[in-house]
Amino acid sequence: MTDFQKPASGQVLVKAEGVRKSYGQLEVLKGIDLEVRTGEVFCLVGPSGSGKSTFLRCINHLEKINAGRLSVDGNLVGYREKGGRLYELKDSEVALQRRDIGMVFQRFNLFPHMTALENIIEAPVQVKGTARAAAKERARELLARVGLADKADSYPAQLSGGQQQRVAIARALAMEPKLMLFDEPTSALDPELVGDVLDVMRQLAQDGMTMIVVTHEMAFAREVGDALVFMDGGVVVESGHPRDVLTNPQHDRTKAFLSRVL
Ligand code: ADP
Ligand code: MG
């Protein structure tokens, strides 16, 4: 339980309008429109190859969109608009935008030669210039928050996949992001380790973090999600409250997908 009150309808934090992305000849995102509001847990589901990861990567500057508009907190991702024209941001400006976004991948990709604590303090110290002592104190709080207070000095190889993923979440949180992106964070885990990671995400949601979650965990989406988009073939097929979409899908493609994963 938490005494935190989620805003009933927050500000629009992420806005996509006609977002298109191609890799060479292959168009992967074919005009994505969606809005994610502050404090929302926004679930992105769909079959493999539908463009979910690509969309997250566009938000986080790992890919550039080819057309449309994509903004986070009112700022175009990677561009500045002036006099009706778009100008690419400088690397230093892109870095500033990226600081506000945390991302957790399917593979935990912690730095293998650093302890859990060192992994967590790396970005605050190197990117933000936080003093080591303060960063360490905060890292210990974050480790406690993800249930790993006793693992500060463990190396990734000494941790289970679920523990590594929780360190990865703590590492992302250390930058105090206003948005967290999760790309199938539990897909690579043994089934018995999934619950602990979802519990951390559930807690984060209760604390009011805005989260975009790509997942096949439909029970999580139904329980924790505020909005759900079903994507297929680079388009949004349908969207709505997770309970509605999951219990009463309107499109055949959604029905077919859900019958496979539910
Ligand atoms: P999802 O996450 O929904 O499974 P992805 O966004 O990973 O989908 O991929 C969508 C499509 O784009 C797939 O056909 C995939 O093969 C292709 N794709 C993804 N990344 C690249 C890349 N870097 N270069 C070329 N094709 C890519
Ligand atoms: Mg993917």
Side-chain angles (χ1 to χ4, degrees), residues 39-249:
E40 203 166 58
V41 176
F42 188 97
C43 300
L44 200 51
V45 305
S48 179
S50 56
K52 306 179 301 293
S53 295
T54 299
F55 184 67
L56 290 191
R57 292 169 63 83
C58 289
I59 295 175
N60 201 22
H61 303 263
L62 296 171
E63 301 288 350
K64 273 204 169 100
I65 68 174
N66 300 113
R69 291 170 68 89
L70 181 61
S71 64
V72 175
D73 209 9
N75 300 309
L76 287 179
V77 174
Y79 295 91
R80 183 199 340 269
E81 199 165 26
K82 210 170 155 191
R85 295 188 55 177
L86 294 183
Y87 298 89
E88 272 190 42
L89 295 183
K90 291 182 290 191
D91 287 351
S92 58
E93 296 169 311
V94 167
L96 276 180
Q97 283 191 339
R98 287 197 74 189
R99 266 164 68 151
D100 287 338
I101 302 172
M103 187 153 176
V104 176
F105 299 87
Q106 184 173 345
R107 298 269 160 206
F108 336 118
N109 56 31
L110 296 172
F111 305 118
H113 57 293
M114 294 182 183
T115 64
L117 187 98
E118 288 164 352
N119 264 280
I120 296 170
I121 69 170
E122 178 69 9
V125 170
Q126 299 301 332
V127 180
K128 269 191 174 171
T130 308
R132 279 187 87 80
K136 279 186 179 177
E137 193 182 325
R138 172 89 179 118
R140 290 188 190 283
E141 286 169 18
L142 287 166
L143 279 169
R145 188 163 161 192
V146 300
L148 295 173
D150 55 337
K151 299 294 184 192
D153 299 322
S154 299
Y155 286 88
Q158 300 170 316
L159 300 172
S160 74
Q163 290 170 334
Q164 289 182 54
Q165 195 59 307
R166 286 184 280 151
V167 173
I169 294 172
R171 182 175 63 173
L173 292 175
M175 289 297 280
E176 302 186 311
K178 54 180 146 192
L179 172 67
M180 284 284 285
L181 309 175
F182 291 89
D183 194 356
E184 300 197 34
T186 60
S187 296
L189 298 179
D190 292 335
E192 73 272 21
L193 304 177
V194 167
D196 287 341
V197 173
L198 292 179
D199 283 346
V200 167
M201 292 169 63
R202 194 175 283 121
Q203 186 61 51
L204 200 52
Q206 273 171 15
D207 293 343
M209 177 60 74
T210 310
M211 304 161 54
I212 305 181
V213 183
V214 174
T215 187
H216 296 297
E217 297 285 340
M218 295 303 147
F220 175 84
R222 187 164 38 221
E223 224 184 284
V224 183
D226 298 294
L228 183 144
V229 156
F230 174 71
M231 252 173 91
D232 193 8
V235 299
V236 172
V237 174
E238 69 179 287
S239 59
H241 194 281
R243 271 192 302 274
D244 298 332
V245 180
L246 296 177
T247 54
N248 191 19

